[in-house]
Amino acid sequence: MSKSAPHAPKHPITRSFHGRDVVDNYEWMRDKASPETLSYLEAENAYTESLTGHLQPLTDAIYGEIKGRVKETDMSVPSRQGGWWYYGRTVEGKDYGISCRVAAEREQPWTPPRVPEDGSPLPGEQVLLDINELAADHEFFSLGASRVSPSGRLLAYSFDTSGDERFELRVKDLETGSLYDDTLTDIFYGAVWAGEEHIFYVRVDDAWRPHQVWRHTLGTPESADVLVYEEPDERFNVGVGADRAERFLYIVSSSKSTSEFHVLDFDNPTGEFRMLWPRQDGVEYDVDFIAPGGEEKWVVTHNATGPNFAVGTCPIDQLADLSELDDVAPHDDSRRIEGTDSYRDFLFLSYRAGGIGRLAVADLTAGGIGEFTELEFNEELYTVSLGGNPEWDAPVVRLSYTSFTQPAQVLDYTVADGEFTLLKQQEVEGGYDPAEYVAERIWATAEDGTQVPVSVVRRVDVGVDKPLPTLLYGYGSYEHSIDPAFSVARLSLLDRGMVWACAHVRGGGEMGRLWYDNGKMMSKRNTFTDFLACADALVQSGVTTYGQLVAEGGSAGGLLMGAVANMAPDKFAGILAIVPFVDPLTSILMPELPLTVTEWEEWGDPYHDPEAYDYIASYAPFENVEAIDYPDILAVTSLNDTRVLYVEPAKWIAKLRDTATGGEFLLKTEMSAGHGGVSGRYAQWKQTAFEYAWVLDKSGADAR
C-alpha cells in the first residue's frame, strides 16, 4: 500500500464578514455526496492505514486485553418499576445488549433479584428488546428511547441506523410481542408516555435543533399527531418529560443561559400546558415536585440569587418570584448546586464542592423538608450519582459509585438508616487489584494565577522517580465536568508504564459556575492556556517530559487540541483529536448548520458581532495553521456526524499537510458512523485499541 500522503486539491472560495475576507481552499469538502470528497476521504483512510500498519500487533494486543478484561456475558442489577424488575444483559460474541424484565415478588418488593454470576437469564425472564436482532441488517445501530408505559404493557422504542441521530419510533405490545402499526419518523431522542394512549416526543428543525413537542395518540397515523409546543427562538432547545410521581408533564425550553418551564397535569394529557416562570435572559431554573405532609410544592433550582445556584420552594399554585422562594439550599460561593431529585419521603441534592460531585439527602416525612445530610465515602477523588430510580414511594435508592481506581459499584442506599448495600461491582476479568494503582491531584498555575486541578493516575510500582510517557486529556466546554471514573481500556496504558492525566480546565464545571463562565465566550482562551499550564505542571513536577507527552480531546475538546497545537506545538509529542471541532468560525457563521445558533451563547456570535468574529478567529485551529513544526496528529471523525461535521477535521488535516514544516498528519473517517463513533461494543473496543496503540507509539512508552 502506498505511503504517499494525499494532498487535497485547492478550490478557493472567499468568505466575507464584517469587512474581513478569508480565502478557504478546502470548503469544497463540505459536499459529502461529491465523488471528489468521498475519494479524498478514502485516500486519507488508506494513507492512515499504511502509516499505522506497524501498530497492528499492538492494536491487536490491546484489543485482546480490553476484551479479556470485560465480562462479556453479564447482567445489570434489576431496577424496580411498577410490578416488574427491569435489567439488561450482554452475551459473549454479541455486539449489543438485551433488555429484559421479571415480575416483582410481593414478599420482597424492594429487594432486587440476585444477579447470576454467569450472567444467565433470570427465571421467568421476558425479553423486551434484543438489540442484536434489531441491528442485524445494519452497519450502524443506536437506540434512542426505550420507555415502558405506566401499566407495563407497552414499550415505545426508537432507533437510528445511519448515525445522524434522527430516529424512528415503534410501539411493542409486551403481552403479545407484536408491533403496533404506529411509526414515528425523523424524531429526536426520547419519548414520554402519558397514560396508555399518548406519547409525547420531540422533533428537530433543519438545523437539527429540537424545537417542537408533539403528542401521538396510539393507533392513529403520524399525520394525525398534534403539535403541542414550538420554540421560535433559535437559541433555545426544547425537551419533554414527566416526574416520577406521575403528577405533571413538563416541557422545558432552554438556551445556554436561560430556561422556561411549562407544565400539565399528567392525567390530562390532551389539556393545555401552562407556563411557570417566564424566561428572563440569564436566568436558569429547573423544577421538581414534592408533597410533604400532602402539601404540593415546587422545588426550584435557580441562579436568580447567585451564579452557583440555589434551591427554594413554593406552593404549586402560588408562584413567588424566584429570588423570594423559601430557601432550602441557599446560594453559596463554595458550592455549585446542580439539581434535586425528589421522592415521596425524601429529597436529594446534587452539588459540587472541592472539585467533586456530591450527594445529600433530606427527610420529607415530618411534614416539611429536613436538614440535608451529605453521603460520605472513603476516597478523595470519586464520582457518585443516582441511578435508575423510577419509583416515587421507594424506601431505597440506587446509587452508582466509581473512581479512577475503583471499578463501578451499584449500591442500594436505605435513606431511613443511612445504610449502603453493595449489589454489584464491575468485574475485571483476569484479576484486578486497585492497590496497584494510585490517583492523585496536582495543581497547575494558569497565566492569570488561577489554580487548575490535574488528576493523575498511574501504577504504584512505576513511581515518579523518572519522567514517564503521559496522556493528558482535556475537554473544557459547556460546564461539563470530567469526573473520576474507572476505565478497563485505560489499564492497557497504565500497565505499559504510562501515566494518564486529566486537565480540569476552565470552560468545564469542576470548580463551580464561574469556572465555566471564565472559559467561554470572550474568555475562551483560558481553556487553552489552562491546558498548557497543566502540561507545564506535569513536566515541572517530574511526571513527564514534553517529548513523552501526548494530548487527547474530542468534540469541543478537539477544539482544545487544535488550539494548543497552534499555540505550543513543542509541548507535545502527539495529539489525538476525536471528532474535533477545529473549524469553529466557519461553522458558527452558518446558522443553517446543526447547533450553530444555540452555540452563540457558548462561543459568541461572530455572525453579527465583529468583536466576537475577531476573537474566535484568533484561536480557531483551522484559521491559524502556520508554517511551523507541529507534533504528529491523528484526527478521527465520522461521515454522518451531525454535531461536528467530518469536514472540519478533513479541512484541518489538509491545511496542516500543505502548510506545516514538520509533523505527520493522519485522518481516519468512519464511513458509517455518527458523533459517538462506530456502533457495537467489539468495533468500539477495536477503535479504542487503535487509538491507544498510536498514543503509546508517539509517547515512546513500552509498546509490547
Side-chain angles (χ1 to χ4, degrees), residues 623-646:
E623 305 274 330
N624 291 282
V625 171
E626 299 181 67
I628 57 175
D629 289 350
Y630 281 84
D632 292 346
I633 294 174
L634 170 62
V636 179
T637 187
S638 298
L639 186 64
N640 295 325
D641 192 340
T642 56
R643 297 173 184 257
V644 179
L645 303 187
Y646 71 91

Side-chain angles (χ1 to χ4, degrees), residues 177-402:
S178 61
L179 291 176
Y180 279 70
D181 292 334
D182 305 55
T183 303
L184 307 181
T185 58
D186 202 28
I187 70 171
F188 194 58
Y189 288 95
V192 178
W193 284 100
E196 301 296 300
E197 296 182 3
H198 300 100
I199 300 171
F200 287 83
Y201 63 94
V202 173
R203 290 196 182 278
V204 296
D205 62 15
D206 291 339
W208 200 73
R209 176 180 68 97
H211 71 128
Q212 295 176 334
V213 175
W214 290 77
R215 184 183 69 243
H216 175 72
T217 301
L218 198 62
T220 66
E222 184 178 16
S223 58
D225 288 0
V226 177
L227 176 62
V228 174
Y229 180 84
E230 182 168 15
E231 175 55 64
D233 192 328
E234 293 181 301
R235 299 172 300 162
F236 285 72
N237 295 332
V238 301
V240 61
D243 55 42
R244 61 169 51 85
E246 295 184 353
R247 178 67 176 86
F248 290 103
L249 295 161
Y250 302 84
I251 292 175
V252 58
S253 192
S254 59
S255 73
K256 302 294 183 186
S257 62
T258 306
S259 59
E260 180 181 83
F261 273 75
H262 294 74
V263 299
L264 175 66
D265 287 358
F266 188 87
D267 59 5
N268 183 31
T270 60
E272 296 291 326
F273 282 79
R274 69 181 187 276
M275 184 189 299
L276 294 181
W277 290 269
R279 65 189 67 175
Q280 303 176 54
D281 283 345
V283 176
E284 298 174 68
Y285 71 92
D286 193 10
V287 296
D288 213 340
F289 168 80
I290 58 173
E295 184 182 2
E296 296 187 327
K297 293 183 175 183
W298 296 123
V299 180
V300 189
T301 303
H302 65 89
N303 67 346
T305 55
N308 271 342
F309 288 72
V311 178
T313 67
C314 68
I316 64 170
D317 56 354
Q318 298 177 31
L319 301 187
D321 188 86
L322 290 174
S323 62
E324 298 176 356
L325 299 173
D326 294 331
D327 275 338
V328 173
H331 180 269
D332 188 329
D333 288 339
S334 65
R335 175 185 68 186
R336 165 59 164 109
I337 293 175
E338 296 186 321
T340 61
D341 201 10
S342 66
Y343 300 80
R344 185 189 65 186
D345 296 335
F346 40 84
L347 176 68
F348 275 88
L349 179 71
S350 303
Y351 55 97
R352 307 191 67 84
I356 294 295
R358 305 174 190 272
L359 284 176
V361 63
D363 180 74
L364 300 180
T365 60
I369 303 175
E371 294 292 322
F372 281 104
T373 302
E374 184 174 308
L375 279 61
E376 297 183 351
F377 302 92
N378 296 325
E379 293 182 274
E380 176 190 5
L381 303 177
Y382 66 86
T383 298
V384 62
S385 59
L386 290 164
N389 294 291
E391 291 296 281
W392 171 247
D393 59 348
V396 298
V397 295
R398 185 70 48 78
L399 302 178
S400 298
Y401 178 91
T402 188

Side-chain angles (χ1 to χ4, degrees), residues 75-259:
M75 178 185 297
S76 67
V77 178
S79 179
R80 174 75 185 273
Q81 181 176 353
W84 298 88
W85 289 101
Y86 292 83
Y87 57 96
R89 291 196 291 109
T90 55
V91 177
E92 183 177 355
K94 294 189 176 183
D95 268 309
Y96 302 93
I98 304 168
S99 60
C100 313
R101 70 181 183 181
V102 294
E105 298 180 7
R106 294 180 181 273
E107 294 77 14
Q108 296 180 311
W110 300 110
T111 302
R114 187 171 180 177
V115 176
E117 289 292 328
D118 61 1
S120 59
L122 291 172
E125 175 181 278
Q126 179 185 9
V127 174
L128 308 183
L129 289 176
D130 186 337
I131 301 173
N132 299 284
E133 294 178 358
L134 296 174
D137 298 325
H138 305 283
E139 289 188 45
F140 178 92
F141 189 90
S142 175
L143 199 65
S146 181
R147 296 292 296 267
V148 177
S149 66
S151 71
R153 186 176 68 85
L154 303 173
L155 171 69
Y157 68 96
S158 64
F159 52 91
D160 164 26
T161 57
S162 67
D164 64 0
E165 299 181 84
R166 288 170 168 83
F167 298 87
E168 177 180 317
L169 184 141
R170 301 300 307 273
V171 176
K172 182 178 181 179
D173 188 321
L174 297 179
E175 292 182 353
T176 66
S178 61
L179 291 176
Y180 279 70
D181 292 334
D182 305 55
T183 303
L184 307 181
T185 58
D186 202 28
I187 70 171
F188 194 58
Y189 288 95
V192 178
W193 284 100
E196 301 296 300
E197 296 182 3
H198 300 100
I199 300 171
F200 287 83
Y201 63 94
V202 173
R203 290 196 182 278
V204 296
D205 62 15
D206 291 339
W208 200 73
R209 176 180 68 97
H211 71 128
Q212 295 176 334
V213 175
W214 290 77
R215 184 183 69 243
H216 175 72
T217 301
L218 198 62
T220 66
E222 184 178 16
S223 58
D225 288 0
V226 177
L227 176 62
V228 174
Y229 180 84
E230 182 168 15
E231 175 55 64
D233 192 328
E234 293 181 301
R235 299 172 300 162
F236 285 72
N237 295 332
V238 301
V240 61
D243 55 42
R244 61 169 51 85
E246 295 184 353
R247 178 67 176 86
F248 290 103
L249 295 161
Y250 302 84
I251 292 175
V252 58
S253 192
S254 59
S255 73
K256 302 294 183 186
S257 62
T258 306
S259 59

Side-chain angles (χ1 to χ4, degrees), residues 438-505:
V438 62
E440 53 198 358
R441 178 163 285 177
I442 66 172
W443 295 85
T445 302
E447 282 188 348
D448 60 1
T450 299
Q451 294 297 290
V452 182
V454 187
S455 297
V456 181
V457 189
R458 59 178 174 84
R459 285 190 64 94
V460 171
D461 55 10
V462 301
V464 289
D465 56 330
K466 64 177 182 179
L468 297 169
T470 298
L471 177 61
L472 179 60
Y473 179 85
Y475 187 74
S477 292
Y478 303 112
E479 203 180 359
H480 178 68
S481 301
I482 308 299
D483 288 322
F486 182 77
S487 167
V488 161
R490 189 188 300 140
L491 297 178
S492 292
L493 300 180
L494 302 178
D495 289 352
R496 288 175 170 83
M498 199 165 189
V499 173
W500 184 90
C502 179
H504 302 284
V505 296

